[in-house]
Amino acid sequence: MRIPIIGGNWKMHRGVPKDAKEMLEQLIPLVKDLKNVDIVIIPPFTALSVVEYVKGTNIKIGAQNMYFEEKGAFTGEISPKFLKDIGCEYVILGHSERRDIFKESNELINKKLKKALSIGLKPIVCIGEHLEEREQGKTKDIIKSQFEGTFKGLSKEDINKVVIAYEPIWAIGTGKTATPDQANEVHQYIRELLSSNYDKELSENLRIQYGGSVNPSNASELFEKENIDGGLVGGASLEADSFAKIIKVTQI
Ligand code: PEP
């Protein structure tokens, strides 16, 4: 059985530790009794100190990005080792905002991914198509090339530790959600890629989250789909109440 995972990607919001703590103060009691769900809060780097605050709770902390080297002259970059050493468990890699705005390539994400795995961080790897690509019927081609480029050279043991987030770019921060069937179809396709590149057992066990305007009203129809194992949530993860409602959907 795949345990659903709900990530709250705060992007460039709530980056002051006090603001992050305020949200967590409200979230912790709302979700403390929930079982069989992994809850991850992914704040900006400046608020990662909340790892201390959530100790002993069922909330884990992730980072939004990292570099592929551990130390050196890389001004402005963040070492995966620092993340690991402060108690960060997860890291998002290949978010579409990194791919599009900061021009991160599959090759770069692949390097980061291999490094994250070697350090013991759990990667949440995002893939997804643009609207024009979907409209031109190229969704599967894009997913395949991102899959092959991003996961190149990964052993079965390594990919087993990855969470994949399918995030259609046209649905991120736009209020437009993929329909449950549209999302499920791509998740199914990702499982086919996992099966052909690795094996069936792995494809059935790996968690694939959906991301793109998930909110308390649409979460249940998405999460009840066979191939969808929770969500990566942006806007609706900023307030404790709405994020808790989304997490609770996994308990039904
Ligand atoms: C995201 O940041 O990964 C995301 C899916 O954002 P939103 O939920 O706001 O669309």
Side-chain angles (χ1 to χ4, degrees):
M1 205 191 84
R2 300 187 299 263
I3 295 182
I5 172 164
I6 313 290
N9 175 17
W10 287 359
K11 311 193 189 203
M12 212 162 71
H13 303 285
R14 287 196 180 275
V16 175
K18 185 172 162 284
D19 292 342
K21 262 190 205 161
E22 257 166 38
M23 188 283 190
L24 289 165
E25 219 165 50
Q26 294 169 32
L27 183 67
I28 291 167
L30 295 175
V31 300
K32 72 176 179 12
D33 296 324
L34 306 184
K35 305 231 162 21
N36 293 322
V37 58
D38 287 337
I39 306 168
V40 190
I41 289 287
I42 307 148
F45 292 127
T46 46
L48 284 175
S49 53
V50 294
V51 288
E52 296 298 326
Y53 191 69
V54 300
K55 266 190 186 152
T57 74
N58 56 350
I59 297 172
K60 306 293 184 200
I61 299 296
Q64 297 177 15
N65 186 26
M66 51 161 263
Y67 195 51
F68 61 79
E69 295 284 359
E70 283 178 40
K71 60 179 177 185
F74 304 108
T75 303
E77 290 296 328
I78 292 285
S79 159
K81 182 87 170 45
F82 301 163
L83 297 174
K84 180 74 182 165
D85 287 352
I86 65 162
C88 214
E89 235 177 85
Y90 289 83
V91 62
I92 298 181
L93 296 174
H95 191 281
S96 63
E97 286 150 20
R98 300 295 320 168
R99 291 179 187 266
D100 282 357
I101 305 171
F102 301 99
K103 307 294 170 222
E104 291 198 6
S105 62
N106 287 328
E107 292 71 26
L108 177 65
I109 299 159
N110 179 257
K111 279 189 180 175
K112 292 184 177 193
L113 177 56
K114 286 177 176 160
K115 191 71 201 182
L117 288 162
S118 76
I119 293 273
L121 288 167
K122 297 174 185 164
I124 297 175
V125 180
C126 305
I127 53 178
E129 80 288 0
H130 288 99
L131 184 58
E132 314 81 79
E133 293 161 343
R134 174 163 282 267
E135 286 172 349
Q136 289 163 10
K138 291 185 184 157
T139 299
K140 287 188 178 170
D141 296 341
I142 297 295
I143 295 294
K144 185 168 190 280
S145 82
Q146 287 179 346
F147 181 98
E148 287 171 353
T150 307
F151 298 126
K152 194 171 178 190
L154 245 66
S155 66
K156 183 180 165 187
E157 197 195 342
D158 274 345
I159 198 159
N160 234 328
K161 297 174 189 144
V162 169
V163 173
I164 298 179
Y166 167 56
E167 297 211 308
I169 296 160
W170 47 273
I172 298 179
T174 57
K176 255 191 216 173
T177 323
T179 65
D181 285 337
Q182 279 175 325
N184 195 51
E185 190 190 349
V186 179
H187 284 226
Q188 172 62 42
Y189 180 61
I190 296 170
R191 291 202 194 284
E192 282 163 31
L193 291 172
L194 287 165
S195 186
S196 55
N197 284 275
Y198 295 92
D199 63 40
K200 195 159 177 354
E201 191 196 357
L202 178 121
S203 88
E204 282 169 0
N205 290 335
L206 204 94
R207 295 185 293 181
I208 309 176
Q209 301 177 291
Y210 167 79
S213 298
V214 174
N215 61 45
S217 324
N218 60 26
S220 68
E221 55 178 18
L222 286 159
F223 299 172
E224 74 191 10
K225 285 287 173 188
E226 189 191 340
N227 290 299
I228 301 182
D229 309 310
L232 185 56
V233 186
S237 71
L238 288 169
E239 299 302 328
D241 199 43
S242 62
F243 194 48
K245 282 188 182 135
I246 294 171
I247 299 166
K248 284 178 184 169
V249 165
T250 62
Q251 309 289 298
I252 300 165

